[in-house]
Amino acid sequence: MRMIPMQQSFLSSPIRILLFIGVFMITTKGTTQKTTSAKQDSVIVKKIYNASLLEGKSYEWLDYLSNQIGGRLSGSLNAQRAVEWAEKELKELGLDKVWLQSVMVPKWTRGVTEFAYIETELGKTTNVPICALGGSVPTPIGGLKAPVIEVKGIEELADLGTEKIKGKIVFYNRPMQAELIQTFQAYGGCVDQRYAGAKEAAKFGAVGVIVRSMNLRQDDYPHTGAMSYGDLSNSEKIPAAAISTNGADLLSAMLKLNPQIKFNFNMNCRLWKDVESFNVIGEIKGTTYPNEYMVVGGHLDSWDLGDGSHDDGAGIVQSMEVLRLFKKIGYKPKRSIRVVLFMNEENGLRGGKKYAKEAKEKGENHVFALESDAGGFTPRGFSFDCDEANLQQIQSWKPLFAPYLIHYFEKGGSGADIGPLKKEKGIVLAGLRPDSQRYFDYHHAANDTFDAVNKRELELGAATMTSLMYLMDTYGIK
Amino acid sequence: MRMIPMQQSFLSSPIRILLFIGVFMITTKGTTQKTTSAKQDSVIVKKIYNASLLEGKSYEWLDYLSNQIGGRLSGSLNAQRAVEWAEKELKELGLDKVWLQSVMVPKWTRGVTEFAYIETELGKTTNVPICALGGSVPTPIGGLKAPVIEVKGIEELADLGTEKIKGKIVFYNRPMQAELIQTFQAYGGCVDQRYAGAKEAAKFGAVGVIVRSMNLRQDDYPHTGAMSYGDLSNSEKIPAAAISTNGADLLSAMLKLNPQIKFNFNMNCRLWKDVESFNVIGEIKGTTYPNEYMVVGGHLDSWDLGDGSHDDGAGIVQSMEVLRLFKKIGYKPKRSIRVVLFMNEENGLRGGKKYAKEAKEKGENHVFALESDAGGFTPRGFSFDCDEANLQQIQSWKPLFAPYLIHYFEKGGSGADIGPLKKEKGIVLAGLRPDSQRYFDYHHAANDTFDAVNKRELELGAATMTSLMYLMDTYGIK
């Protein structure tokens, strides 16, 4: 024990005791408040999950959207039916406001079902499954037949040069990397072949391109998706198709046996003039900060081959469910919460751009946006596009999510549709991150259908999104 | 700045400097070693995942086991074929030793396909899908027809009493709780109806029992599973069947409309004398501690309705893959590693008991056992039956697993087959914990087939198990 020097004892005992009690009270009060609110939060989060799993509507909605409407490419009759259905369903939720936001979208049609075959010699043919890439020009009537040159990527074109490419069909055959755990990374490492493959090959005189489907599985489904001709003139554009993974391996094997074989494919897809379509928006007015907006959404359009259940029917019904669950459990958000069902994510992003543009013009202060566009699989967490302070706040909520096996709260991308809302600071963007292992088995293909979505997994995703929205609304952003 | 009192400066400068350097060196050395080994571990873990995803054999093995052999109930011809196949495959891996361990198992056969119908009046019938529970006695030839009394659990029987139960079929209709996130908990909350329902109902004079399938989904598959008559005499035993979830809801609704309806079911299952079967075991001898054994396993038997791909074909091929991956990446374990493919988990656990008994008799020091018996879905982590010190060591490896999205390392059950290895201390038991949301869609039902297993998910599970085995082997247990 150390003796107290005389001068220190000038601070008289009663004052020291008061100081001590004061500090103690502040500490206790802070801890108690924190404990109480954490406890209250966990009760509300439990209510949200229970409501989603026991009285959820997301699966029933998806059943309708997938099986009664179906694939809904921008500008199609089905896309318009989806707009009308979503508006009607949101109106039935008794939100404060539901409206349509007009947006001009591209209209591309697939036409009659494509077909293709490999010709080893005249009359000896083997059929392979293909589909036109979204935005492609058609083949000439009667099809396009030409020799094939296989490459593993755009960067090989320059080495080959015009001499070896001119008059041929370029076959892009770089597979997704199976060893990447996050399958979206594997997708990102291949998708340039699909998006820019035709544009680049055309510069070397190619007459068409065939692209290996972005699929980690060996099967017979061709996977469509957006492609772009950049600034090529109409006469320079060449037709572009996806081939199934099995078809790609077959074509590659046959080319090794005989480099002289020809590929024949037939597509009569067409790009029309832009047409009017809509984002569908519903809003619950905030009780305390009505001028702070929080958005939850997905995209209402889909590709045309399947019924778009995972991409992005799941995100649509989960986003609608967020507002419905708030109503269901009687939670009145402090901030204004909007569900935005974006049009035209797949081939234009016009809906996302329009929403952000109008929000900016109106000076609406958006503080948070969450998108679900990675399939209706078991949720694992979220990735965030935000600053460090906000990420830390969000990560402090991890214990609330642990009982629901939600562990992933990391920096990363959010969602294409909400991307245009990004600003220097003052907004947190988030993307739901479901298990991604099976996503590319279905993505943009004819098997992306209702039966591939599990009810519980879909409902867990909706509850996880609602819980994050609740916490963001309760604590705001930093 | 505080002045140094005179007496403290008696410790002369050179000595203090030496002490300082010494402490610094120890700290640096420790940190460096730790960093180096963590880095080396992460390199090996990466090798393991790459090998499983790029050059894995688990999926090919499962294809054979499921599609060329199929359902393999203990004592069946298929179970014997599975034993022979597994022995052959393990021998081809070039392990140090592969052998069969004889074990007597129960032999129960389903007989011809069961059928059942609800009879509202004579001649007016509605078919419903049922299957005999494993171990049930048959109905009388021509079927069993009786009125039905619906209960939500065994505990209701005593209240109803013999008067209301005698001569009737007891219909157990308590569903799995959808709001439980961990579906095995929901299973645990219902399975007593299946396991002990017949035994308990018989005591009150029931003539048969129908049990709602342990399934979280509404569909038409009846799910079988083990049941027991306890110490009832043969004449007291009553037939027991599972009914699909849709069938259960239909029966319940019809009972509400008309409590007089009768249920008719027809089964000619049979229990035979025990027969000989085998655990299949393969071993890599440890380089440093050959007398410390680490087991990885699953169960080779399955129910007979599907082909047992998730339960537990997945666990079998993943366990075999652990040893194959060690060979593949050139890792020589310090401890002796055994893959044990247990026989008769489903209706007797004879294989697990036999293995543990023989290990004890031989004085083999088992320090770690890992079972995969929860389906071939995306792995989320493990649960552990061990003491706090070992759990802490294991949890310190979390950062190594984070890149593979493996987050779950908690206390909990391990696996039925390895359970008998449990001892006071000196062993860690672990169970692979894959995503469980869809498990009970397939469990013990005709749709538990190869197509329900995803290649990547299966391979990720095998790699996750191998990585844990590697770390347990490298660092041992506390």
Side-chain angles (χ1 to χ4, degrees):
Chain A
M1 189 183 153
R2 195 169 66 91
M3 295 295 289
I4 300 168
M6 277 303 283
Q7 66 271 31
Q8 288 192 19
S9 66
F10 278 114
L11 196 59
S12 76
S13 279
I15 292 175
R16 274 190 288 141
I17 288 168
L18 278 177
L19 269 177
F20 174 77
I21 293 174
V23 169
F24 180 75
M25 283 176 67
I26 290 163
T27 316
T28 311
K29 200 179 160 203
T31 312
T32 312
Q33 271 185 343
K34 221 171 164 181
T35 314
T36 312
S37 62
K39 204 173 161 186
Q40 191 184 311
D41 289 341
S42 86
V43 169
I44 291 178
V45 168
K46 179 75 187 146
K47 268 192 197 169
I48 290 169
Y49 276 90
N50 281 4
S52 186
L53 287 164
L54 297 174
E55 307 171 278
K57 204 168 175 185
S58 55
Y59 194 64
E60 186 188 321
W61 272 333
L62 187 64
D63 187 2
Y64 193 94
L65 183 60
S66 297
N67 290 322
Q68 302 303 317
I69 296 177
R72 44 200 176 276
L73 191 52
S74 290
S76 67
L77 176 62
N78 271 2
Q80 181 56 26
R81 289 178 65 210
V83 164
E84 288 164 15
W85 167 80
E87 185 189 20
K88 180 179 115 331
E89 290 297 328
L90 289 182
K91 280 188 171 162
E92 282 178 18
L93 294 185
L95 308 180
D96 294 318
K97 203 176 154 194
V98 173
W99 71 101
L100 303 184
Q101 181 175 49
S102 170
V103 54
M104 295 304 289
V105 297
K107 181 181 173 70
W108 176 85
T109 54
R110 185 170 300 281
V112 296
T113 305
E114 308 85 338
F115 70 90
Y117 54 83
I118 302 165
E119 190 179 278
T120 41
E121 53 187 90
L122 208 60
K124 283 185 88 172
T125 61
T126 306
N127 293 337
V128 284
I130 65 148
C131 68
L133 292 181
S136 174
V137 295
T139 59
I141 292 167
L144 171 68
K145 183 160 80 172
V148 177
I149 183 158
E150 177 178 341
V151 295
K152 286 288 192 292
I154 288 169
E155 59 288 357
E156 289 183 23
L157 298 179
D159 285 346
L160 291 167
T162 304
E163 197 187 337
K164 287 182 178 157
I165 296 173
K166 198 174 167 67
K168 290 188 185 149
I169 293 168
V170 171
F171 168 36
Y172 290 99
N173 194 27
R174 183 164 83 258
M176 288 172 79
Q177 280 179 267
E179 73 273 28
L180 295 176
I181 307 300
Q182 307 234 32
T183 59
F184 280 86
Q185 265 183 34
Y187 179 64
C190 278
V191 72
D192 64 321
Q193 300 177 104
R194 188 193 80 203
Y195 191 74
K199 179 186 72 170
E200 296 303 326
K203 293 177 186 167
F204 294 93
V207 293
V209 302
I210 302 292
V211 183
R212 183 189 183 93
S213 286
M214 311 287 127
N215 180 3
L216 279 156
R217 195 163 70 164
Q218 289 301 129
D219 63 28
D220 297 321
Y221 292 102
H223 293 229
T224 190
M227 54 87 65
S228 162
Y229 290 112
D231 51 11
L232 292 189
S233 69
N234 275 340
S235 65
E236 291 170 313
K237 293 175 182 173
I238 59 173
I243 186 169
S244 71
T245 46
N246 280 343
D249 283 358
L250 180 69
L251 177 57
S252 183
M254 288 176 81
L255 277 170
K256 277 188 189 70
L257 287 173
N258 176 6
Q260 311 308 322
I261 59 171
K262 288 181 178 156
F263 195 85
N264 182 310
F265 68 122
N266 212 309
M267 318 196 297
N268 77 334
C269 40
R270 183 167 168 188
L271 190 64
W272 308 74
K273 269 194 293 195
D274 287 0
V275 297
E276 187 184 27
S277 187
F278 304 93
N279 293 328
V280 185
I281 307 174
E283 183 179 300
I284 300 176
K285 203 79 191 159
T287 54
T288 317
Y289 312 107
N291 295 327
E292 287 190 19
Y293 292 93
M294 307 183 89
V295 164
V296 60
H299 63 84
L300 196 49
D301 64 311
S302 78
W303 283 105
D304 54 332
L305 295 174
D307 63 35
S309 283
H310 277 297
D311 187 13
D312 183 28
I316 288 298
V317 300
Q318 287 172 329
S319 299
M320 290 163 68
E321 185 76 340
V322 170
L323 277 72
R324 187 185 153 275
L325 291 175
F326 278 160
K327 285 269 179 189
K328 186 89 196 164
I329 66 164
Y331 177 73
K332 294 190 187 353
K334 295 194 231 176
R335 292 164 175 82
S336 291
I337 309 264
R338 280 191 190 157
V339 54
V340 184
L341 312 179
F342 296 96
M343 184 49 67
N344 186 231
E345 189 270 348
E346 292 294 4
N347 57 339
L349 208 66
R350 302 276 184 88
K353 287 175 185 165
K354 176 66 177 277
Y355 180 82
K357 185 166 169 273
E358 207 169 293
K360 198 173 177 186
E361 285 166 2
K362 291 185 176 170
E364 289 171 348
N365 179 22
H366 281 69
V367 296
F368 179 59
L370 166 62
E371 181 153 5
S372 167
D373 184 20
F377 304 96
T378 300
R380 306 290 300 266
F382 302 92
S383 64
F384 296 92
D385 184 354
C386 68
D387 62 26
E388 204 47 48
N390 280 300
L391 186 68
Q392 276 182 24
Q393 180 187 34
I394 291 160
Q395 288 183 335
S396 77
W397 301 329
K398 273 186 170 190
L400 285 166
F401 285 99
Y404 308 96
L405 305 177
I406 304 298
H407 302 104
Y408 191 84
F409 297 82
E410 304 293 338
K411 284 231 180 189
S414 56
D417 296 293
I418 60 174
L421 285 170
K422 186 163 178 169
K423 49 190 178 182
E424 277 294 303
K425 57 179 289 168
I427 190 163
V428 171
L429 301 178
L432 181 71
R433 289 291 161 261
D435 189 291
S436 77
Q437 298 308 322
R438 286 171 288 131
Y439 187 60
F440 291 97
D441 295 0
Y442 306 109
H443 183 245
H444 298 180
N447 60 340
D448 181 4
T449 48
F450 182 66
D451 58 297
V453 177
N454 177 276
K455 181 170 180 282
R456 285 179 65 79
E457 296 186 357
L458 182 75
E459 289 167 347
L460 286 170
T464 305
M465 291 166 67
T466 310
S467 300
L468 180 66
M469 287 296 284
Y470 158 73
L471 290 165
M472 292 299 296
D473 179 56
T474 300
Y475 298 102
I477 72 165
K478 296 281 176 190
Chain B
M1 191 184 152
R2 194 168 66 90
M3 294 296 290
I4 300 167
M6 276 305 284
Q7 66 271 31
Q8 289 190 21
S9 67
F10 278 114
L11 195 60
S12 76
S13 277
I15 291 175
R16 274 190 288 142
I17 288 168
L18 277 176
L19 269 174
F20 174 77
I21 293 175
V23 170
F24 180 76
M25 282 177 68
I26 290 162
T27 314
T28 312
K29 201 181 159 201
T31 311
T32 312
Q33 271 184 343
K34 219 171 164 181
T35 314
T36 312
S37 62
K39 203 172 163 187
Q40 191 184 310
D41 289 341
S42 84
V43 168
I44 291 178
V45 168
K46 178 75 187 149
K47 268 191 196 170
I48 290 170
Y49 276 90
N50 280 4
S52 186
L53 287 164
L54 298 174
E55 307 170 279
K57 205 169 174 182
S58 55
Y59 194 65
E60 185 189 322
W61 272 332
L62 187 64
D63 187 4
Y64 193 93
L65 182 61
S66 298
N67 290 322
Q68 301 303 316
I69 297 176
R72 44 199 176 277
L73 192 52
S74 291
S76 66
L77 176 61
N78 271 3
Q80 182 56 27
R81 290 176 64 208
V83 165
E84 288 164 16
W85 167 81
E87 185 189 19
K88 180 179 116 327
E89 290 296 329
L90 289 182
K91 280 188 171 161
E92 283 179 17
L93 294 185
L95 308 179
D96 295 318
K97 204 176 153 195
V98 174
W99 71 101
L100 302 183
Q101 182 175 48
S102 170
V103 54
M104 295 303 290
V105 298
K107 180 181 173 73
W108 176 85
T109 54
R110 186 169 300 280
V112 296
T113 305
E114 309 86 338
F115 70 89
Y117 53 83
I118 302 164
E119 188 179 279
T120 40
E121 54 188 90
L122 207 62
K124 281 185 89 173
T125 61
T126 306
N127 294 335
V128 283
I130 65 147
C131 67
L133 292 181
S136 175
V137 294
T139 60
I141 292 167
L144 171 68
K145 184 159 79 174
V148 178
I149 182 156
E150 177 177 342
V151 296
K152 286 290 194 289
I154 289 169
E155 59 288 355
E156 289 183 22
L157 298 180
D159 286 345
L160 291 168
T162 305
E163 197 188 337
K164 288 185 179 154
I165 296 175
K166 198 174 166 66
K168 290 187 185 152
I169 293 168
V170 171
F171 167 37
Y172 291 99
N173 194 26
R174 184 165 80 259
M176 289 172 78
Q177 280 180 266
E179 74 274 27
L180 294 176
I181 307 300
Q182 308 234 32
T183 60
F184 280 85
Q185 266 184 35
Y187 179 65
C190 278
V191 73
D192 64 321
Q193 300 177 103
R194 188 193 79 203
Y195 191 76
K199 180 186 70 169
E200 297 302 328
K203 294 176 185 167
F204 294 94
V207 293
V209 303
I210 301 293
V211 183
R212 182 190 183 92
S213 287
M214 312 286 125
N215 179 5
L216 279 155
R217 196 165 65 165
Q218 288 302 129
D219 64 29
D220 297 320
Y221 292 101
H223 293 230
T224 190
M227 53 87 65
S228 162
Y229 291 111
D231 50 11
L232 292 189
S233 69
N234 275 340
S235 65
E236 292 171 312
K237 293 176 181 173
I238 58 175
I243 186 169
S244 72
T245 46
N246 280 343
D249 284 358
L250 180 69
L251 177 56
S252 182
M254 288 175 80
L255 277 168
K256 279 188 188 70
L257 287 173
N258 177 6
Q260 311 308 321
I261 59 171
K262 288 182 177 155
F263 195 84
N264 182 311
F265 68 122
N266 213 310
M267 319 196 296
N268 77 334
C269 40
R270 185 168 167 187
L271 190 63
W272 308 74
K273 270 194 294 198
D274 287 1
V275 297
E276 187 185 28
S277 187
F278 304 92
N279 294 327
V280 185
I281 308 174
E283 182 180 299
I284 300 176
K285 203 81 191 156
T287 53
T288 317
Y289 313 107
N291 295 327
E292 288 189 18
Y293 292 93
M294 307 182 88
V295 163
V296 59
H299 63 86
L300 196 49
D301 65 309
S302 78
W303 283 106
D304 54 332
L305 294 175
D307 63 34
S309 283
H310 276 297
D311 187 13
D312 182 29
I316 288 297
V317 300
Q318 286 172 329
S319 299
M320 292 163 68
E321 185 77 339
V322 169
L323 278 72
R324 188 184 153 274
L325 291 176
F326 278 161
K327 286 270 181 190
K328 186 89 194 164
I329 67 164
Y331 177 72
K332 291 187 190 357
K334 295 194 231 176
R335 291 162 176 84
S336 292
I337 309 265
R338 279 190 190 156
V339 55
V340 184
L341 311 178
F342 296 95
M343 183 49 67
N344 186 230
E345 189 271 346
E346 292 295 2
N347 57 338
L349 209 68
R350 303 277 185 87
K353 288 174 184 165
K354 176 66 178 276
Y355 180 82
K357 185 166 169 274
E358 207 170 293
K360 199 175 177 185
E361 285 167 2
K362 291 186 176 169
E364 290 171 348
N365 179 22
H366 281 69
V367 295
F368 179 59
L370 165 63
E371 181 154 5
S372 166
D373 184 19
F377 304 97
T378 301
R380 306 290 298 266
F382 303 91
S383 65
F384 296 92
D385 184 354
C386 68
D387 62 24
E388 203 48 48
N390 280 300
L391 186 68
Q392 276 181 22
Q393 180 186 35
I394 290 160
Q395 288 184 335
S396 76
W397 301 329
K398 273 187 168 188
L400 285 166
F401 285 99
Y404 307 96
L405 305 177
I406 304 298
H407 301 104
Y408 191 85
F409 296 82
E410 305 293 338
K411 284 231 181 190
S414 56
D417 297 292
I418 60 173
L421 285 170
K422 186 162 179 169
K423 48 190 180 183
E424 277 293 303
K425 57 178 290 171
I427 190 163
V428 171
L429 302 177
L432 181 71
R433 288 292 162 259
D435 189 293
S436 76
Q437 298 308 322
R438 286 171 290 130
Y439 186 61
F440 291 97
D441 295 359
Y442 306 108
H443 182 246
H444 298 180
N447 61 341
D448 181 5
T449 47
F450 182 67
D451 58 296
V453 176
N454 177 276
K455 182 171 180 281
R456 286 179 65 79
E457 296 185 357
L458 182 75
E459 290 167 346
L460 286 169
T464 304
M465 291 165 67
T466 310
S467 300
L468 180 66
M469 288 296 282
Y470 158 74
L471 290 165
M472 293 298 296
D473 179 56
T474 300
Y475 297 103
I477 71 164
K478 296 281 176 193

